[in-house]
Amino acid sequence: MCVACLPSQRDRQARRQGRDNKLTEDPKILFAPENRIISYMMDQFLSARRTIDIVVFLIGSKRVANALVKACKRGIAIRMIIDGKVARSRYSKDDFLKGKGIKVKTIRVRGGSMHSKFILIDGEKLIAGSANLTNDANYRNHEFIFVSEDPKIIEPFSVKFKEMWSMSKKQTSRSVKRNPS
């Protein structure tokens, strides 16, 4: 790397001391498996004050599901959109979440998948990246997330969530049948 591309000593000191929040905190980028990104997300669920909106292909981790239930019991409004096909699998924890009062909807994509992955916490924090809410994403897979509190970055995701929520289907036991495999 050329010397001109390296951060200055002042930039490095600001990062170490946490004075330059733009460099250290927005966006915050985490990589798995070394950063345990699912553990980070669960901490964010538990610190939510009002709302958690989730768009994810699959929620397959019982630990994540339990963290969401804890947040729901604290009065946090939780809405989740998952892929309609994967909701039919035995790995999905969506039925468990619905039984605990969490609103879950599905989107079916003909010939494809609803493969987006982003989370909005209180409408003020965005977590987006490659990870599904699974144990593999925390311990085995090479994944990433970025976290931002920048309103300019959050706004298009908030708009997209509202659009997806309005076009998704409320999941009921009649609308989704589990595949035994």
Side-chain angles (χ1 to χ4, degrees), residues 79-96:
R79 299 183 295 177
M80 178 179 289
I81 301 169
I82 61 173
D83 181 77
K85 289 181 297 251
V86 81
R88 297 169 45 177
S89 78
R90 64 185 166 144
Y91 303 108
S92 184
K93 303 298 181 215
D94 57 290
D95 276 342
F96 170 77

Side-chain angles (χ1 to χ4, degrees), residues 32-90:
E34 60 271 22
N35 290 131
R36 301 290 190 246
I37 61 178
I38 299 301
S39 297
Y40 174 84
M41 286 188 226
M42 290 190 317
D43 289 344
Q44 299 306 303
F45 298 156
L46 296 176
S47 68
R49 297 179 319 274
R50 296 179 311 278
T51 62
I52 302 172
D53 291 332
I54 301 170
V55 176
V56 69
F57 178 71
L58 169 67
I59 175 161
S61 167
K62 185 74 167 180
R63 286 181 48 229
V64 172
N66 285 331
L68 289 169
V69 169
K70 279 185 182 180
C72 185
K73 286 181 179 179
R74 289 187 301 115
I76 306 303
I78 302 172
R79 299 183 295 177
M80 178 179 289
I81 301 169
I82 61 173
D83 181 77
K85 289 181 297 251
V86 81
R88 297 169 45 177
S89 78
R90 64 185 166 144

Side-chain angles (χ1 to χ4, degrees), residues 11-170:
D11 289 341
R12 287 190 303 272
Q13 285 175 333
R15 273 190 210 151
R16 277 195 299 272
Q17 295 172 2
R19 284 185 280 137
D20 188 352
N21 287 339
K22 201 66 169 167
L23 291 174
T24 59
E25 295 300 324
D26 207 343
K28 181 175 192 159
I29 300 171
L30 301 171
F31 294 94
E34 60 271 22
N35 290 131
R36 301 290 190 246
I37 61 178
I38 299 301
S39 297
Y40 174 84
M41 286 188 226
M42 290 190 317
D43 289 344
Q44 299 306 303
F45 298 156
L46 296 176
S47 68
R49 297 179 319 274
R50 296 179 311 278
T51 62
I52 302 172
D53 291 332
I54 301 170
V55 176
V56 69
F57 178 71
L58 169 67
I59 175 161
S61 167
K62 185 74 167 180
R63 286 181 48 229
V64 172
N66 285 331
L68 289 169
V69 169
K70 279 185 182 180
C72 185
K73 286 181 179 179
R74 289 187 301 115
I76 306 303
I78 302 172
R79 299 183 295 177
M80 178 179 289
I81 301 169
I82 61 173
D83 181 77
K85 289 181 297 251
V86 81
R88 297 169 45 177
S89 78
R90 64 185 166 144
Y91 303 108
S92 184
K93 303 298 181 215
D94 57 290
D95 276 342
F96 170 77
L97 293 171
K98 285 185 312 187
K100 300 294 184 176
I102 294 172
K103 295 178 183 174
V104 179
K105 288 187 172 186
T106 62
I107 294 179
R108 295 272 326 229
V109 178
R110 185 171 294 196
S113 300
M114 193 299 299
H115 212 250
S116 295
K117 298 167 188 79
F118 65 91
I119 300 167
L120 296 159
I121 307 286
D122 297 323
E124 299 170 353
K125 182 179 285 187
L126 168 71
I127 303 170
S130 64
N132 285 303
L133 300 177
T134 64
N135 291 329
D136 284 348
N138 208 38
Y139 299 109
R140 289 181 275 289
N141 295 352
H142 290 265
E143 307 274 9
F144 79 93
I145 60 170
F146 74 90
V147 182
S148 179
E149 295 180 11
D150 183 336
K152 291 178 187 172
I153 295 173
I154 294 169
E155 180 61 23
F157 284 91
S158 181
V159 168
K160 186 64 175 175
F161 182 87
K162 290 173 188 167
E163 175 188 306
M164 293 173 80
W165 187 257
S166 69
M167 68 181 261
S168 57
K169 294 181 179 178
K170 182 177 180 185

